[in-house]
Amino acid sequence: MATTVRRAVLVLPAAPLGPENPLPALRGLDEVHVLDGRAQSGLPRDMVRQIGYEPLRGVLPVRIRDGYARRRSEREFEAVVLENGRLRATVLPELGGRVHSLVAKAEDGSERELLYRNPVFQPAAFALNGAWFSGGIEWNIGATGHTTLSCATLHTALVPAPDGGVMLRLWEWERLRDLPFQVDLWLPEDSAFLYVGVRIRNPHERPSPVYWWSNIAVPEDSGTRVLAPADEAWHFGYERTLRRVPVPDWEGADRTYPLRGAYPADYFYELPRGDRPWIASLDGAGHGLVQTSTEALRGRKLFVWGSGSGGRRWQEWLTEPGTPGYAEIQAGLARTQLEHVRLEAGGEFSWLEAYGPLAADPAAVHGADWRAARTEVAGRLAAALPRAEVEAAYAAWRPYADREPEERLVVGSGWGALEVLRAGLKLSGTPFEEAGLDEQQSPWLELLRTGAFPVPRRVVPPGPSLVAPHWRDMLETAPADPLTEYHLGVAQWHAGDVAQAVRSWERGLELAPSRWPLLRCLAVADELSGQSERAAERYGEAFADLCEESRGGPTWVAALAALGREALAAQLAAGRPVPARAVWSRLPAEVRARGRFRLLESRLLLAEGRIDAARAVFDEGFEVADLREGDECLSDQWALLSADPVPPEYDFRMRP
């Protein structure tokens, strides 16, 4: 069968993504994978250096995605299918270019899914900016954590492939680090392996920190074993410590079996320099998926949810209860996901990955001799796909990485086009065209061309802020109207100039017809400086102003929900239950019914001394759709209301 590439439609039960949170993300990064390498002894010097190399402080200029829900209905997703006689890959351009499915086809006509294929689309708060979903192969770029592009549409096109066929190109402008990247996928005729070429470019005149991990969800059961060419690994748990441990046996259990540990954990394998990099997940019969790459992608990792109640609850949360669980095998630029790698000005990183089926002797794979198990898998991989073939495929692909797209399938965001216009960039192979600009980029394009930030023609919540130094410089020289001062303050805040940001917001407040965006920014500044009473007062004033200004509709409801949530929490933190009740009473009924606000209601009732009513909220049942990875707010609140064990539906604890 010749290789085909075709458009398709995938229908899944899906929760709605909802609107973006309109409030700029001023708070620090809410990320559980954080470590101070200087405070922990025994780490290699290069690892400590890369852990400390420009870690992300926040997700600006990206907006938070927390408007999704838990109720699902059938939805159609744009898909692209690559298929030959041995493999079929289904890619979802609207969802970060995720490889949703990778099916191996046998000579007898049978098929085997190599990935964990989630039967639903259910966002959860695992991405750096919120919405993320489990399953398939995802492309993580930006900073430690799941990419902000997890649920974003990527530019997608068909491009000539090195073997004379067609490959699928995905590309976007990654906004946390201001870097363009591309992912090229092709399936040579009669090949049992999907090839993936990746390129990250730095078009700027300064070095940039880079992060990349290809994240592969694989089926998990009691017979699944994950193998990699390593005798040691760096273990990272939700206690936020990193330590070197032996592979496979540690603390009385073989940790290469995902279910043989109680708690979620990362195992970053210590692969010897120069050895072929690979990782495989094989079932009890020795069948499964193998991933390998050129040497630039040096890291390999296993993530497990563990067998404990918290990990099992998270597995249910991310899909349909009763469906099988999954583990993650990953490949990255560094040894651990706590590190960022320096990309020089004008430079690029590129590499080739290969994904395909592997069958090995189950007695060797699951035997007690770890070296024999690794040798068996390495030998099977060498026979199925020699290392030299991967290197040759990479060399053949490199000239094609610059080939221009021939057929555009899907259009991504306009942010890359704006940056290309600003800097006069020419990025061969990844066109960011001016025609792709939309209403979010429109005021920034006017600032670029006229030197003034435009005043909106109608009353709407402010659009996204840009915070890179070149945009901050333009805002500083633009006419100082209230909206310009608002965006300038956000950019100054991002740069770490808190005092100047506060001054900009205060100047804007003097003449602002819309006060609540500026008051909210000032309230955050008060809150983070420990002035909880003044923060609560400003939050109350901001929320009251928003209620008066609100025009109704999804955008305004999103603003009311976002600001109301922060205002409620601030009143409670300051010990002010009466103003908190005033905020609660002005929230729309549809907002008060959401799980996040039911939890806030329980906190409010407890602050009012109504403990039975606060407990009744839990007894009635609710779900916090945007519960953050590692967040223990549900079990913490339960502990204040009852001495009983935490009910399973509220138990998301991921550590001892």
Side-chain angles (χ1 to χ4, degrees):
M1 176 182 174
T3 299
T4 62
V5 181
R6 66 181 188 276
R7 303 181 76 162
V9 173
L10 177 69
V11 179
L12 290 176
L17 262 177
E20 292 180 325
N21 187 320
L23 307 182
L26 300 179
R27 289 179 176 79
L29 192 63
D30 186 12
E31 169 57 38
V32 298
H33 299 91
V34 176
L35 176 79
D36 184 353
R38 295 166 301 177
Q40 185 168 337
S41 61
L43 301 183
R45 281 187 185 175
D46 62 330
M47 184 183 290
V48 172
R49 183 177 64 252
Q50 293 186 159
I51 288 173
Y53 177 42
E54 295 192 30
L56 205 64
R57 295 192 304 271
V59 298
L60 286 169
V62 176
R63 283 182 155 185
I64 301 297
R65 301 219 60 159
D66 58 3
Y68 49 86
R70 299 279 303 167
R71 184 171 296 175
R72 298 188 283 268
S73 59
E74 285 199 346
R75 174 184 161 187
E76 294 184 347
F77 292 93
E78 177 95 13
V80 181
V81 179
L82 298 83
E83 185 171 14
N84 64 10
R86 304 180 70 181
L87 209 60
R88 180 172 65 250
T90 302
V91 182
L92 303 178
E94 295 174 290
L95 296 175
R98 186 80 59 102
V99 179
H100 174 70
S101 169
L102 188 62
V103 174
K105 301 190 287 186
E107 292 182 0
D108 62 5
S110 62
E111 296 185 343
R112 172 190 288 269
E113 175 63 70
L114 300 178
L115 305 174
Y116 167 74
R117 181 170 58 189
N118 198 331
V120 303
F121 171 67
Q122 178 55 64
F126 279 68
L128 289 166
N129 63 330
W132 173 86
F133 66 105
S134 65
I137 306 171
E138 62 173 313
W139 317 111
N140 285 295
I141 181 173
T144 299
H146 292 283
T147 176
T148 62
L149 297 167
S150 293
C151 294
T153 300
L154 303 191
H155 296 281
T156 309
L158 301 183
V159 187
D163 64 344
V166 177
M167 65 183 174
L168 182 69
R169 174 163 298 162
L170 307 159
W171 73 98
E172 246 306 349
W173 192 275
E174 201 288 310
R175 301 177 65 210
L176 297 181
R177 302 300 193 183
D178 261 340
L179 301 176
F181 73 99
Q182 71 189 79
V183 179
D184 291 350
L185 304 98
W186 76 102
L187 191 54
E189 188 172 346
D190 294 328
S191 173
F193 284 82
L194 175 70
Y195 286 156
V196 181
V198 182
R199 178 166 64 166
I200 304 170
R201 287 183 276 190
N202 180 7
H204 306 298
E205 296 178 352
R206 65 184 189 280
S208 177
V210 170
Y211 170 95
W212 181 279
W213 283 80
S214 300
N215 184 3
I216 311 136
V218 291
E220 166 211 76
D221 60 40
S222 59
T224 298
R225 192 178 204 188
V226 171
L227 302 100
D231 292 314
E232 292 182 311
W234 294 95
H235 170 272
F236 185 81
Y238 285 80
E239 304 89 347
R240 302 189 179 188
T241 58
L242 191 64
R243 50 184 163 174
R244 193 192 296 260
V245 300
V247 176
D249 296 307
W250 177 54
E251 292 188 343
D254 187 331
R255 304 295 172 162
T256 61
Y257 290 88
L259 288 174
R260 295 189 184 177
Y263 296 99
D266 298 324
Y267 295 91
F268 299 102
Y269 293 115
E270 187 70 56
L271 272 60
R273 280 286 196 181
D275 285 11
R276 184 179 191 180
W278 58 266
I279 191 167
S281 174
L282 305 179
D283 64 16
H287 295 278
L289 171 80
V290 65
Q291 187 270 1
T292 188
S293 69
T294 49
E295 194 170 347
L297 205 65
R298 68 171 297 197
R300 291 299 185 275
K301 168 194 162 182
L302 165 65
F303 167 74
V304 299
W305 284 105
S307 59
S309 58
R312 295 299 95 193
R313 181 69 179 111
W314 275 114
Q315 293 261 30
E316 291 178 356
W317 188 251
L318 295 169
T319 184
E320 292 281 11
T323 56
Y326 74 96
E328 292 172 0
I329 58 175
Q330 302 189 24
L333 284 173
R335 279 183 290 186
T336 76
Q337 287 177 328
L338 308 173
E339 303 168 68
H340 298 89
V341 182
R342 181 185 176 100
L343 178 56
E344 298 298 338
E348 67 176 54
F349 290 140
S350 64
W351 63 88
L352 185 89
E353 304 181 47
Y355 297 81
L358 193 76
D361 177 10
V365 167
H366 298 284
D369 188 333
W370 172 242
R371 185 168 296 276
R374 284 170 34 198
T375 301
E376 164 67 12
V377 175
R380 299 283 184 162
L381 172 60
L385 184 65
R387 186 176 189 177
E389 284 191 21
V390 175
E391 299 290 344
Y394 171 68
W397 167 71
R398 286 296 289 115
Y400 284 81
D402 288 329
R403 294 288 290 268
E404 296 300 327
E406 294 190 345
E407 181 182 349
R408 294 292 289 265
L409 303 180
V410 180
V411 177
S413 81
W415 295 113
L418 183 66
E419 293 300 330
V420 165
L421 279 171
R422 180 200 62 79
L425 302 176
K426 173 60 178 175
L427 298 169
S428 55
T430 55
F432 294 97
E433 297 163 345
E434 188 172 349
L437 296 169
D438 62 27
E439 63 180 10
Q440 288 197 330
Q441 294 87 47
S442 178
W444 297 95
L445 182 62
E446 188 167 335
L447 173 65
L448 177 65
R449 289 177 169 167
T450 70
F453 199 89
V455 177
R457 295 185 177 89
R458 56 193 177 92
V459 178
V460 292
S465 298
L466 294 183
V467 297
H470 42 266
W471 293 109
R472 187 173 72 247
D473 291 344
M474 281 184 255
L475 290 167
E476 286 176 345
T477 57
D481 62 72
L483 186 57
T484 302
E485 296 283 14
Y486 163 80
H487 287 299
L488 175 58
V490 174
Q492 291 164 332
W493 179 274
H494 174 73
D497 193 346
V498 173
Q500 194 61 53
V502 168
R503 283 193 287 271
S504 295
W505 292 327
E506 288 175 340
R507 283 196 305 268
L509 193 60
E510 293 175 4
L511 298 175
S514 180
R515 293 171 54 83
W516 66 267
L518 293 151
L519 284 167
R520 181 265 175 177
C521 290
L522 290 167
V524 173
D526 288 336
E527 191 174 46
L528 296 181
S529 65
Q531 301 180 70
S532 59
E533 188 74 21
R534 191 167 74 175
E537 290 175 0
R538 276 181 163 157
Y539 263 124
E541 188 180 350
F543 186 70
D545 186 66
L546 173 58
C547 289
E548 295 300 322
E549 188 174 285
S550 176
R551 302 295 196 267
T555 301
W556 287 103
V557 171
L560 285 164
L563 185 54
R565 171 179 169 177
E566 291 186 4
L568 261 170
Q571 304 301 338
L572 293 172
R576 293 159 50 107
V578 174
R581 176 60 65 181
V583 172
W584 175 265
S585 66
R586 300 192 72 174
L587 287 168
E590 64 180 284
V591 172
R592 290 201 300 263
R594 298 176 188 175
R596 172 64 65 178
F597 288 85
R598 297 303 311 282
L599 176 60
L600 282 168
E601 181 185 19
S602 178
R603 291 182 56 199
L604 173 57
L605 290 165
L606 182 61
E608 294 171 331
R610 301 162 63 186
I611 189 168
D612 290 341
R615 165 67 185 264
V617 174
F618 277 78
D619 294 339
E620 291 166 9
F622 63 92
E623 292 183 323
V624 179
D626 62 333
L627 188 68
R628 189 76 181 164
E629 178 187 12
D631 193 341
E632 299 175 353
C633 61
L634 289 170
S635 50
D636 288 348
Q637 178 68 6
W638 176 265
L640 298 174
L641 302 174
S642 175
D644 297 334
V646 180
E649 62 269 27
Y650 300 123
D651 188 2
F652 291 86
R653 291 171 293 183
M654 301 174 74
R655 58 179 179 167

